[in-house]
Amino acid sequence: MGDWGIKVTKTGKGVTSTDLRDLLMHSNYSMFKYHLDTTTSMTINAGDTSKTVTVAHGLGYVPAFIAYFNDGSYNSLLPQRRSFYTGEDEHIFATADATNIYIKWRSIVPYLRSTYDCDDAYSNILGRNYTAVGNSNGTGLDCANRFVGIAVTGSETITSATLDFYVSSKGASGSNTKLKTHGFDEDNTGDFGSYPLGRTLTSAYTSQEQNPSSTPFSFGINVLSILNEIRQRSGWSSGNAMGFMSVNNGSPNNAFLADYTSSTLVIQKAGSLTYNFRILVFKDKIA
Amino acid sequence: MADWGIKVSKPTKSITSSNPGDYVFNSKFGSAIVYKDAEVSVTINASSSTKSTVNYYYPDGSTPLTFDYYPVVLIFAELVPGSGEWYLSPFSLYEDIDTFVSAGTYSTPFYSSVEKSKFFITFYNRTGSQITIKYHYYIFANLG
């Protein structure tokens, strides 16, 4: 019995060729069979860390598929893992089950959110590289945190700005610490090599009362109005440094919160991003 | 000499269409022939990795085959056993799925490769229990 079947070779290639790359079709081997060719899009909003879009394939089993995405500049085969020296790390990938194809986006960093580590700190009692606010044995504790490379312009929309004040030690009283926070009203506040607590302060400020949780912990200081006042100075430029001064605001005796330079400044901008995708689904069954 | 060949158009599409996307098959355009596809189960011990190797064989299934090119290999894996959700390779995840299986992480080299005689893929189990996952591979014969 002969070896029956059908073979189609590329132009210029013989049907007796043993190089499989010369073939367009060979009845001994299957080919992916087209089922669906479609497009979809995904809009990522500020603050998002995950997003999924779903495309129904209607096959009732898990099919083979491939997917591409377009970020506005390039077409790339999924999955894509994109990380940047600035800390962003996003992953775009595709999955399938018996009903749908899923395009998923995941990001370590919430979209349009930036976190800045404290660059410098100063305490009126402990000196440089320390933070302490409140009341220690009747002495008022004031401190400052400095952050550099703040990538905000004077005009873009900022939806939140929080100074996450890190606390590794606290007063023994167990009472709440009362504090008031201003910014340094400067275009590009310098480091704390010299005493910084006499610098001009913003008119914007935040007052709050913080209970002493178990250490270590962080609490948030809403510095949005302070940040806005600084970034809207005529001399402000994106990438400059900002400083925030927190002062005792009537804390009871031995109610204080302290640390070194572990606080962070978290800024959330407004905006959205749209990715477009193309999905090719084949009738070939995976599972 | 006439332009000889074979064409099969999609339903409702004309056999004279100039759009390659209107064809199921057209001998003027390349195609992807599946040389071999199969499902593989891999058992990975807790907090460890397992390298799964697939050697190529001739159609008899027993004679080893070495291509003189690097074939294209497409892999889908059910990274969460029994979930019914299959991930398109390659995998380099940092989300919750990494708790179970990852074929590479941001800080761990992605130890998978296609060679002329085999391909291999390494799965990392970051859970405290042994797990068995499935993956389905396609080796394309004429792409490479």
Side-chain angles (χ1 to χ4, degrees):
Chain A
M1 172 71 70
D3 182 17
W4 297 98
I6 180 170
K7 290 191 290 188
V8 179
T9 60
K10 295 177 180 176
T11 302
K13 303 298 181 181
V15 290
T16 57
S17 171
T18 58
D19 187 339
L20 296 175
R21 290 174 297 178
D22 292 341
L23 297 175
L24 293 174
M25 183 173 73
H26 191 307
S27 52
N28 281 354
Y29 305 107
S30 66
M31 294 165 60
F32 268 8
K33 292 158 283 296
Y34 162 83
H35 171 67
L36 176 67
D37 180 352
T38 189
T39 59
T40 189
S41 64
M42 171 192 290
T43 297
I44 300 163
N45 298 308
D48 283 349
T49 56
S50 67
K51 193 76 88 169
T52 299
V53 292
T54 301
V55 174
H57 56 69
L59 287 169
Y61 55 81
V62 184
F65 69 96
I66 56 176
Y68 294 85
F69 101 104
N70 183 290
D71 64 356
S73 299
Y74 303 101
N75 288 295
S76 306
L77 181 65
L78 289 184
Q80 286 287 316
R81 178 74 179 272
R82 311 200 297 180
S83 60
F84 306 90
Y85 73 94
T86 48
E88 292 85 5
D89 190 345
E90 64 174 9
H91 189 201
I92 311 168
F93 57 101
T95 70
D97 63 18
T99 307
N100 300 307
I101 305 294
Y102 305 93
I103 307 293
K104 303 187 181 185
W105 173 87
R106 300 287 185 271
S107 176
I108 285 180
V109 177
Y111 181 58
L112 293 179
R113 182 175 301 174
S114 299
T115 299
Y116 301 89
D117 293 331
C118 176
D119 173 76
D120 210 340
Y122 200 96
S123 161
N124 66 331
I125 299 300
L126 302 171
R128 197 174 186 185
N129 295 319
Y130 288 92
T131 55
V133 63
N135 180 330
S136 176
N137 293 321
T139 299
L141 306 181
D142 306 328
C143 66
N145 286 282
R146 179 177 183 256
F147 303 91
V148 301
I150 307 302
V152 299
T153 67
S155 59
E156 62 190 324
T157 302
I158 308 292
T159 57
S160 69
T162 304
L163 196 167
D164 280 332
F165 195 108
Y166 188 82
V167 179
S168 55
S169 63
K170 61 182 180 179
S173 71
S175 300
N176 290 352
T177 297
K178 299 178 181 180
L179 63 150
K180 186 176 180 181
T181 301
H182 290 259
F184 289 137
D185 193 15
E186 298 180 335
D187 293 338
N188 188 19
T189 200
D191 65 26
F192 298 163
S194 58
Y195 183 81
L197 302 184
R199 297 178 185 178
T200 302
L201 302 178
T202 58
S203 56
Y205 67 90
T206 299
S207 295
Q208 67 196 90
E209 194 170 322
Q210 178 62 40
N211 62 0
S213 301
S214 298
T215 56
F217 72 98
S218 294
F219 69 94
I221 302 173
N222 184 346
V223 296
L224 180 59
S225 61
I226 301 169
L227 180 140
N228 285 338
E229 183 174 332
I230 296 171
R231 73 186 178 106
Q232 283 156 10
R233 292 172 56 88
S234 60
W236 168 264
S237 296
S238 178
N240 282 0
M242 281 187 185
F244 301 89
M245 181 170 170
S246 296
V247 301
N248 177 45
N249 194 28
S251 303
N253 193 26
N254 287 330
F256 65 82
L257 305 166
D259 183 63
Y260 304 96
T261 56
S262 301
S263 297
T264 57
L265 176 64
V266 181
I267 298 173
Q268 178 70 59
K269 297 182 180 180
S272 64
L273 171 68
T274 297
Y275 285 144
N276 296 302
F277 303 94
R278 184 173 180 189
I279 304 164
L280 304 175
V281 183
F282 305 100
K283 292 192 183 296
D284 301 74
K285 182 179 180 181
I286 296 174
Chain B
M1 170 69 74
D3 182 15
W4 296 98
I6 179 171
K7 293 187 289 188
V8 179
S9 64
K10 295 177 181 176
T12 75
K13 300 299 181 182
S14 170
I15 204 68
T16 59
S17 172
S18 61
N19 181 1
D22 288 343
Y23 291 92
V24 173
F25 180 82
N26 187 323
S27 56
K28 268 193 174 177
F29 308 121
S31 56
I33 294 176
V34 178
Y35 180 77
K36 175 76 188 297
D37 77 287
E39 183 177 289
V40 179
S41 290
V42 183
T43 298
I44 308 113
N45 291 326
S47 303
S48 68
S49 64
T50 296
K51 177 181 175 182
S52 177
T53 300
V54 173
N55 296 295
Y56 312 142
Y57 293 94
Y58 280 93
D60 64 12
S62 59
T63 306
L65 166 64
T66 298
F67 293 105
D68 58 1
Y69 53 91
Y70 296 94
V72 173
V73 178
L74 191 62
I75 299 174
F76 300 86
E78 188 186 41
L79 293 183
V80 178
S83 67
E85 188 171 13
W86 293 69
Y87 287 69
L88 173 62
S89 66
F91 322 104
S92 184
L93 307 178
Y94 54 80
E95 58 167 81
D96 289 347
I97 193 72
D98 279 2
T99 301
F100 303 97
V101 171
S102 170
T105 66
Y106 185 59
S107 59
T108 304
F110 180 70
Y111 193 53
S112 301
S113 178
V114 173
E115 299 179 358
K116 294 181 179 180
S117 63
K118 62 181 182 291
F119 75 86
F120 56 89
I121 184 167
T122 302
F123 292 94
Y124 296 82
N125 178 6
R126 293 201 271 170
T127 71
S129 304
Q130 183 187 80
I131 58 172
T132 298
I133 70 159
K134 295 183 290 187
Y135 72 91
H136 195 117
Y137 68 84
Y138 295 88
I139 303 170
F140 292 96
N142 59 343
L143 300 180

